[in-house]
Amino acid sequence: MRHGRHRSGSAPQQGRSARRRARPRGGPVVALWVWQCVVGAVLLCFGLSMLLSAAAAWQAVRGRLFAAAPHGVVDAYALGASGGPWAAVTALALAGGGLWTGAMLIGEVLRARARRRAQGSELLERAPLLPGEDPAGARLVVLEGTRPDAWWLPGAAPQLVVTTAALGRLKGSQLDAVLAHEQGHAAARHDWLLHCSRALAREFPQVPVFAAFEAEMHRLVEMAADDVASRRFGRLTIALALVGLNEDRGVFGASSTEHAHVPQRVRRLLSATPRLSPGRRLRLTALATLVPAIPLVVAFVPGLSALA
């Protein structure tokens, strides 16, 4: 999947490990939330480490950070003893990493907007507005093409683009299911998740959790959009639409790796595995929400122990 161009298939996933990660089935939205909480906890660890390192290195930061804390709390962290050049280097490195990550995210957003503008201009050239057509309204754009394809182009005037080959492949309500799939991406703002995951993976390529976060976001947002479409048109309809759009790409062969998650999505849609119950979904969501609290608890333990 590309930013601003949510296709019905992309993001390399392969092997048994990818199949195992697809479970439990029926809960991609919960899995998306779990991943966001885990990554948020990791980023919170970085932020707390930066603050404590800065407090250990510079008295001015320490005074502001612990301004309202009793003297015993400051002593519990032993910041004066652990200060020095290494604490300053650590704080500056973490602050620089945070600023660079923000710059990478802004760059991702700007590049995505530039791509959308270029694609919108190209679409207007290839499929100009009809007389009386509202330029601000949502459009279904049909392009001449020998390859079955369909994608959603978000923006002020969102557009669903399909090729003539796709229209020949999609039968009955399959086109409506593809539209619902792409609208699911737009409604959930999946593009922002992809922006954030790509920025983190590019900024910290040696951090496994960020690389896994990027790969899983691609897979999970597609499954979440599949569920949106299947609730309206049924699992079989969106599964057949996926097959119709992707069978010429060779994704269902044994050697396919670039779009290996597409067969997994089809099998998931066709399986009889029930969706997560509302109660279990609520419990998993609540547990995931507590994950970012773990670094906070670890950071506050010395101060709380001193107060006790």
Side-chain angles (χ1 to χ4, degrees):
M1 178 187 302
R2 299 176 184 175
H3 291 307
R5 182 166 172 150
H6 294 287
R7 295 180 180 270
S8 293
S10 94
Q13 295 294 323
Q14 54 183 315
R16 295 181 180 176
S17 60
R19 286 194 291 271
R20 284 194 296 266
R21 286 195 299 268
R23 295 185 176 90
R25 297 176 181 176
V29 174
V30 176
L32 285 169
W33 177 245
V34 171
W35 269 107
Q36 291 176 74
C37 290
V38 169
V39 171
V42 174
L43 294 177
L44 190 56
C45 287
F46 287 158
L48 291 171
S49 298
M50 181 189 68
L51 285 176
L52 292 176
S53 297
W58 299 293
Q59 177 62 42
V61 177
R62 191 184 318 159
R64 287 181 176 273
L65 188 61
F66 293 94
H71 185 71
V73 171
V74 182
D75 293 339
Y77 286 92
L79 294 176
S82 60
W86 285 112
V89 168
T90 301
L92 291 174
L94 291 171
L99 291 174
W100 184 247
T101 301
M104 292 287 288
L105 177 57
I106 292 173
E108 286 287 341
V109 174
L110 293 178
R111 284 191 292 272
R113 288 181 176 177
R115 284 194 296 270
R116 285 200 296 268
R117 285 195 297 268
Q119 291 166 0
S121 299
E122 180 184 358
L123 284 177
L124 280 177
E125 291 180 3
R126 298 180 63 183
L129 292 172
L130 297 175
E133 186 175 359
D134 183 7
R139 301 178 68 206
L140 173 62
V141 181
V142 180
L143 296 180
E144 288 286 343
T146 58
R147 186 174 186 175
D149 207 352
W151 66 91
W152 180 262
L153 186 64
Q159 301 170 90
L160 175 67
V161 185
V162 295
T163 63
T164 51
L167 290 179
R169 289 285 181 86
L170 300 176
K171 308 298 182 182
S173 58
Q174 292 175 17
L175 179 60
D176 293 328
V178 171
L179 174 60
H181 173 101
E182 301 299 342
Q183 287 176 331
H185 283 309
R189 301 306 304 269
H190 287 159
D191 54 332
W192 278 102
L193 284 175
L194 297 175
H195 291 325
C196 294
S197 63
R198 183 169 292 134
L200 288 171
R202 289 183 177 180
E203 170 59 19
F204 303 103
Q206 304 303 320
V207 181
V209 68
F210 293 149
F213 180 51
E214 182 187 20
E216 288 297 283
M217 286 304 98
H218 284 280
R219 186 179 65 89
L220 290 171
V221 297
E222 294 295 343
M223 289 185 174
D226 288 343
D227 286 351
V228 171
S230 69
R231 280 193 290 270
R232 293 180 58 187
F233 299 99
R235 293 186 176 192
L236 180 60
T237 301
I238 188 63
L240 291 175
L242 279 173
V243 172
L245 291 175
N246 292 281
E247 61 181 346
D248 288 345
R249 304 170 191 254
V251 301
F252 297 101
S255 60
S256 175
T257 57
E258 183 181 359
H259 300 287
H261 71 295
V262 175
Q264 297 165 16
R265 290 164 55 197
V266 172
R267 285 193 296 270
R268 173 180 175 269
L269 287 165
L270 296 178
S271 70
T273 304
R275 302 182 189 276
L276 291 175
S277 65
R280 187 180 180 191
R281 191 159 50 241
L282 179 61
R283 289 192 297 271
L284 290 173
T285 301
L287 288 174
T289 306
L290 295 176
V291 172
I294 296 175
L296 290 174
V297 171
V298 173
F300 291 153
V301 162
L304 295 175
S305 300
L307 292 175

